[in-house]
Amino acid sequence: MKRIIALFSGEGTNLANLIEKIHHKHALITCAITNNPEAGGIAKARAAGIPVEICDHTQFDTREAYDAALVEMIREYDPDLVVLCGFMRILTPVFTSQIRSINLHPSLLPAYKGAKAIERSFESGDQTCGVSVHWVSDELDGGEIIAQRSFNRSEDETLESFTAKIRAIEHEILPLSVIAIVKES
């Protein structure tokens, strides 16, 4: 069974979804790594018996130094794939040139790259919005698209209802993408 490492920064809702839908079914999540010692996802991973590593970015002077430590930590687990699921770090070539990884992004890339993509997409007034899964590359949210799924905004859309639609799509598209990748490799 293929080995996966999940990187996360926050509550870990996408991590929990991956645990439910793929762990021990399609692949093994051998470790969950966070840059945030207070991340809610830590408890979710531990509850599933998944080892958690904390690589706190505030303990490093540069992005490159952080990425080097992260790469070293990842290599200890020898994963087949690294999945960024709400990992809120801009990664440098120190990481991107060495680690085969995919990222979940809450917009239809190339639109709304970077932070606050949900809010920017909502405020744009775009009729069609959605979620992307892409290969991580040197360019922020610029790697080859693996999958996208869209929805049409309703006339009475609120930020809360919009966010709920994005989250629902994330919970479908990320596990499906991971399953497809591990079956191909």
Side-chain angles (χ1 to χ4, degrees):
M1 197 169 270
K2 300 291 184 179
R3 297 171 316 281
I4 291 173
I5 290 181
L7 303 183
F8 67 99
S9 295
E11 287 307 308
T13 55
N14 280 300
L15 171 61
N17 182 57
L18 281 179
I19 292 168
E20 176 188 338
K21 292 184 178 167
I22 71 161
H23 189 53
H24 287 293
K25 296 174 182 126
H26 303 280
L28 293 176
I29 301 173
T30 57
C31 183
I33 301 174
T34 184
N35 64 310
N36 175 5
E38 305 299 319
I42 294 170
K44 292 175 175 77
R46 287 185 176 149
I50 296 169
V52 174
E53 299 273 3
I54 298 170
C55 191
D56 184 351
H57 66 276
T58 66
Q59 304 301 307
F60 296 86
D61 292 333
T62 66
R63 287 188 183 278
E64 290 79 9
Y66 176 79
D67 286 0
L70 183 60
V71 166
E72 187 176 316
M73 189 178 282
I74 289 169
R75 284 198 169 144
E76 289 178 21
Y77 290 90
D78 192 28
D80 296 295
L81 180 67
V82 173
V83 179
L84 283 65
C85 46
F87 190 61
M88 302 307 291
R89 297 285 306 155
I90 296 173
L91 297 164
T92 69
V94 170
F95 179 96
T96 60
S97 67
Q98 299 182 70
I99 300 296
R100 181 177 186 243
S101 57
I102 64 171
N103 184 43
L104 175 67
H105 188 74
S107 77
L108 291 175
L109 292 172
Y112 314 112
K113 294 178 179 184
K116 305 232 183 263
I118 293 174
E119 292 86 350
R120 291 185 294 135
S121 183
F122 176 76
E123 291 167 2
S124 74
D126 291 351
Q127 182 58 38
T128 304
C129 303
V131 175
S132 304
V133 177
H134 65 92
W135 289 103
V136 174
S137 71
D138 291 350
E139 181 186 343
L140 176 66
D141 295 325
E144 180 184 348
I145 302 291
I146 297 165
Q148 290 185 312
R149 186 159 305 158
S150 64
F151 66 93
N152 289 322
R153 161 197 309 260
S154 62
E155 287 184 26
D156 59 345
E157 199 78 68
T158 65
L159 180 57
E160 292 73 28
S161 65
F162 186 87
T163 300
K165 288 178 182 176
I166 293 285
R167 297 291 180 231
I169 293 172
E170 286 178 343
H171 289 181
E172 294 171 14
I173 195 173
L174 184 60
L176 290 173
S177 297
V178 171
I179 291 165
I181 291 167
V182 298
K183 281 184 178 177
E184 288 174 5
S185 52

